[in-house]
Amino acid sequence: GSNGNLLGHGPTGNPQNHVSTSREFASVCPPRRVELEGFGPVAEVSCSTYTNVAILMDGRVFSWGDADGNALGHDRHECHTPQWIRSLRWQRVSHGALAYTNAAVA
């Protein structure tokens, strides 16, 4: 079973953590645990080309990435850290799916 941790790598808003594009991969960051205040154990993650969704064990949904037309479900067009989708706060979500910049949760 899962331990509920969300691991990631690449841009996190800190230029020192960006993944190198050089052939030597000298500065590639190993996966690391995403630690955010109030971000509990993760039940499911779904990823597409530009968008990511994490569904927590308590049913809250977080999204991050780069999307057009508020496709992330919150007021940010681009974000590199998970943001809670407050419009789903009255729903207990258990599954999610993504395709390009479109998402569905149930």
Side-chain angles (χ1 to χ4, degrees), residues 70-91:
N70 294 328
L72 293 172
H74 44 78
D75 62 355
R76 299 185 67 184
H77 172 73
E78 177 182 321
C79 65
H80 295 289
T81 57
Q83 302 289 313
W84 181 36
I85 301 178
R86 287 178 176 79
S87 62
L88 296 174
R89 68 183 168 271
W90 306 115
Q91 305 296 317

Side-chain angles (χ1 to χ4, degrees), residues 25-103:
F25 300 104
S27 63
V28 172
C29 296
R32 62 193 176 281
R33 184 171 183 246
V34 175
E35 296 184 20
L36 298 169
E37 186 175 333
F39 191 77
V42 175
E44 184 175 289
V45 176
S46 186
C47 305
S48 72
T49 307
Y50 300 107
T51 308
N52 308 282
V53 169
I55 300 169
L56 305 189
M57 297 292 278
D58 65 9
R60 289 180 296 150
V61 180
F62 285 72
S63 69
W64 66 101
D66 186 9
D68 293 328
N70 294 328
L72 293 172
H74 44 78
D75 62 355
R76 299 185 67 184
H77 172 73
E78 177 182 321
C79 65
H80 295 289
T81 57
Q83 302 289 313
W84 181 36
I85 301 178
R86 287 178 176 79
S87 62
L88 296 174
R89 68 183 168 271
W90 306 115
Q91 305 296 317
R92 181 166 167 76
V93 174
S94 59
H95 298 288
L98 292 171
Y100 194 57
T101 59
N102 299 299

Side-chain angles (χ1 to χ4, degrees), residues 9-20 27-30 32:
H9 57 86
T12 61
N14 181 349
Q16 296 171 337
N17 290 334
H18 289 190
V19 174
S20 171
S27 63
V28 172
C29 296
R32 62 193 176 281

